[in-house]
Amino acid sequence: MLALLFACEDAYRNKSHASVSEQSIKEGRILAAKYCISCHALPDPAWLDSKSWEKGVLPAMGPLLGIFEHNFQDYPSSKNDQYLDKNFYPSQPLLNRSQWQNIIDYYSATSPDTLIRQQRQDKIEMELPLFAVQTPAGSYLNATTSFIKINPTGIAQSLVISDALKKRTYLFNKELLMTDSFLNDGPVVDIEFGQNGMLACNIGVLNPNNGKFGKGNFINKLANGKYEEKKLPMLDSLQRPVQLLSADFNRDGKMDYLICEFGFVTGALSWMEGTENNGFKRHVLRPLPGAIKAYIQDHNKDGAPDIWVLFGQGDEGIFLFTNKGDGNFIEEKLLSFPSVYGSSSFELIDFNKDGYADIIYTCGDNADYSPVLKPYHGVYLFMNDGSNHFEQKFFFAINGCYKALARDYDNDGDLDIATISFFADFKNEPEESFVYLKNTGSFKFKPYSLPESTIGRWLTMDAGDIDGDGDIDLVLGNFFIGPGILKSKIDWSKSPPFILLKNAIK
């Protein structure tokens, strides 16, 4: 794509920037190849429209090069952010104003005025032949469901949800009646379940920031079956953590914890080594922001837990950290995605049952510096050749896709895919908010969605057997606030905090 762009630059020239000189474009291309790759792979101008480059992405990237003002607009640079090291940004610009203008000219003049709309071979059918929609009882107001999970430890409390603004976790039985609730120290975005309680991942502050307000709070299961969060956090001073996982990484008999600190302009993937007297020692695996989803799996069968993780910020991609013993890991990048994709989730699953982990991946985070509909947003399937080399076998376009879960929902022996979108094209294609992709064989899928009256702004989703009848149900969590490109006519604040898609196959 880049070779074609550079060879035929006049054909790609943005008409509104026709006055930009060829020399400026040429020098900007050279400078971009030198400076932009310091943080991520070289971006292609065709990935975004000219306005997004000129008014959003480049002003946001400028501070990383020591540039805090330019000709186009003032942009909040976080130069005086009290939570950043005073030497985080360069003390002097790495290039002069003319060079910076050349980079802006290159991206704004050679990018399209608008991105092409998404193209789908198959129309999404507005029906769900396999599932029955159920909602919890009661009145609803301002649901901000930041976490939802079908409890894997038993069906006494079948469903657990957390509300970010209310800072409260609720438990429901299989009839969707609330059985318990308890306060949290902050917005909970992930929970790891155990027999004696839960470990809650408290992000601290939802909005992007560089502070260390996040925590890992243990929730005790009391003798009467109720739950209560401990007053003192087990882990604290975390930078917008989005996931906590437990494992004995160094095999010393003490429990360790993996932390995905998504952060903002800073963040990290770390593991906390359990020490004497219930203390922890931090080991940073990757000192960069964007760690959003991880799996712990012994992929090489040597008895030591390895780590698969998706980074969705800057240098986006899926990485494998192979455990070499004594807490040492070797990092390998398995899949790389453009820095504008907005990677949102992935799932490790053996899709073709050959004994190797394949990858379901979604991209669709659209809240940053280029909030336009993007043709590459959607759900992807990458197949493993047995040596951790992955080939894309399927893509289905979904604006703002946020999560996908592959399961055999229809019990026919192959895997189907359920997806949600937080940044769907709600004005023109509201059916994108939930798409059920039924596997019809040979990497082909038939898409279905919910009736429009039940469409919500789904931030989180889980799959599991909520009622113990042997088939796989789905739950979708509604988060009514947040930035959006095209607003829905539905008032999500009056929608239920979640809906259950009860599998009716049995």
Side-chain angles (χ1 to χ4, degrees):
M1 187 184 291
L2 283 172
L4 179 64
L5 177 65
F6 297 153
C8 310
E9 210 156 58
D10 286 341
Y12 283 86
R13 177 68 73 84
N14 186 314
K15 292 179 181 178
S16 63
H17 293 82
S19 61
V20 174
S21 71
E22 295 293 340
Q23 185 63 27
S24 181
I25 293 173
K26 180 180 177 180
E27 291 181 8
R29 181 172 68 237
I30 295 170
L31 290 165
K34 178 179 179 180
Y35 289 101
C36 296
I37 61 172
S38 61
C39 295
H40 46 68
L42 181 66
D44 186 332
W47 290 340
L48 293 175
D49 62 292
S50 59
K51 183 179 179 181
S52 292
W53 286 120
E54 187 176 336
K55 303 295 186 183
V57 173
L58 290 174
M61 298 303 103
L64 298 174
L65 300 173
I67 298 169
F68 296 93
E69 295 180 17
H70 51 79
N71 290 337
F72 294 99
Q73 70 175 60
D74 293 327
Y75 200 87
S77 64
S78 300
K79 183 177 182 179
N80 299 313
D81 190 332
Q82 62 179 314
Y83 302 112
L84 289 177
D85 185 280
K86 63 180 181 180
N87 297 318
F88 178 78
Y89 291 115
S91 58
Q92 298 293 327
L94 302 186
L95 60 173
N96 61 40
R97 180 175 290 272
S98 177
Q99 291 172 316
W100 177 237
Q101 185 64 54
N102 289 338
I103 292 178
I104 293 174
D105 287 346
Y106 164 57
Y107 278 100
S108 60
T110 63
S111 55
D113 285 327
T114 57
L115 296 179
I116 61 171
R117 290 191 61 83
Q118 290 193 341
Q119 303 295 319
R120 298 194 194 100
Q121 241 180 343
D122 299 310
K123 180 183 176 182
I124 300 173
E125 300 293 334
M126 297 288 285
E127 60 173 327
L128 269 182
L130 186 62
F131 298 95
V133 179
Q134 296 183 4
T135 58
S139 58
Y140 318 120
L141 181 64
N142 298 347
T144 51
T145 304
S146 54
F147 172 79
I148 193 165
K149 183 75 175 178
I150 295 174
N151 192 342
T153 63
I155 62 171
Q157 289 90 24
S158 297
L159 181 67
V160 180
I161 77 164
S162 288
D163 188 289
L165 293 188
K166 297 180 179 72
K167 298 181 182 179
R168 183 173 282 274
T169 295
Y170 303 87
L171 288 82
F172 293 81
N173 63 18
K174 64 181 181 179
E175 285 80 27
L176 304 189
L177 298 174
M178 191 178 69
T179 60
D180 193 11
S181 73
F182 52 88
L183 283 171
N184 300 117
D185 194 21
V188 170
V189 295
D190 188 56
I191 290 177
E192 185 179 66
F193 292 84
Q195 291 299 323
N196 298 318
M198 316 176 198
L199 177 61
C201 179
N202 166 6
I203 195 172
V205 177
L206 282 173
N207 290 338
N209 70 92
N210 296 304
K212 296 182 178 181
F213 308 117
K215 301 173 184 177
N217 296 91
F218 193 78
I219 300 163
N220 281 327
K221 185 176 182 179
L222 306 177
N224 60 3
K226 301 290 186 178
Y227 289 85
E228 183 180 66
E229 185 173 279
K230 281 190 172 183
K231 294 186 184 301
L232 294 177
M234 188 176 70
L235 300 165
D236 62 6
S237 300
L238 306 179
Q239 196 167 2
R240 290 185 80 217
V242 293
Q243 188 179 18
L244 298 174
L245 293 173
S246 61
D248 185 3
F249 290 112
N250 55 359
R251 293 188 284 182
D252 64 352
K254 299 182 182 69
M255 188 59 70
D256 310 311
Y257 293 92
L258 181 74
I259 308 175
C260 292
E261 290 177 272
F262 190 88
F264 183 31
V265 298
T266 58
L269 176 73
S270 307
W271 72 279
M272 304 292 282
E273 178 185 359
T275 61
E276 299 296 333
N277 301 318
N278 298 319
F280 295 97
K281 179 181 178 182
R282 180 189 288 268
H283 301 269
V284 177
L285 295 173
R286 196 163 189 260
L288 294 171
I292 193 169
K293 179 65 178 178
Y295 291 89
I296 297 174
Q297 179 195 78
D298 181 12
H299 89 280
N300 57 2
K301 312 300 181 186
D302 66 352
D306 308 304
I307 301 165
W308 305 67
V309 63
L310 170 66
F311 278 77
Q313 187 96 319
D315 187 18
E316 300 190 16
I318 293 174
F319 296 76
L320 173 62
F321 293 84
T322 302
N323 194 333
K324 304 308 291 184
D326 297 324
N328 296 309
F329 292 82
I330 293 178
E331 176 185 329
E332 179 185 6
K333 193 173 190 180
L334 302 178
L335 285 170
S336 182
F337 307 115
S339 55
V340 299
Y341 261 38
S343 298
S344 49
S345 76
F346 88 112
E347 185 176 40
L348 273 184
I349 195 159
D350 186 359
F351 198 84
N352 57 356
K353 301 177 183 178
D354 65 352
Y356 300 103
D358 306 306
I359 288 174
I360 303 285
Y361 160 81
T362 64
C363 58
D365 188 356
N366 222 359
D368 290 331
Y369 311 112
S370 57
V372 295
L373 299 176
K374 301 177 174 72
Y376 40 79
H377 276 178
V379 57
Y380 296 73
L381 171 59
F382 295 95
M383 302 301 295
N384 192 337
D385 69 354
S387 300
N388 285 339
H389 299 122
F390 292 87
E391 179 185 359
Q392 181 183 321
K393 285 292 189 179
F394 173 73
F395 168 68
F396 189 82
I398 300 174
N399 289 299
C401 194
Y402 238 53
K403 190 172 185 177
L405 296 173
R407 304 287 188 275
D408 185 6
Y409 295 103
D410 55 7
N411 220 10
D412 65 354
D414 55 26
L415 295 179
D416 316 295
I417 302 172
T419 74
I420 54 171
S421 170
F422 190 62
F423 293 99
D425 182 355
F426 289 107
K427 182 177 180 181
N428 300 301
E429 299 178 283
E431 62 272 19
E432 291 184 316
S433 67
F434 172 81
V435 179
Y436 169 64
L437 294 163
K438 175 180 169 51
N439 192 336
T440 58
S442 302
F443 300 107
K444 296 185 184 301
F445 297 81
K446 183 165 179 58
Y448 298 91
S449 185
L450 293 162
E452 187 171 355
S453 60
T454 56
I455 286 172
R457 190 162 195 190
W458 313 121
L459 178 67
T460 182
M461 169 177 66
D462 192 35
D465 187 1
I466 194 170
D467 50 8
D469 66 353
D471 53 27
I472 301 173
D473 311 297
L474 284 159
V475 285
L476 314 181
N478 177 39
F479 200 97
F480 88 98
I481 57 175
I485 303 163
L486 300 170
K487 299 296 185 181
S488 169
K489 59 185 179 182
I490 299 172
D491 184 356
W492 291 309
S493 69
K494 298 177 181 177
S495 299
F498 68 90
I499 63 170
L500 166 66
L501 302 183
K502 191 175 186 307
N503 197 320
I505 195 169
K506 293 189 176 182

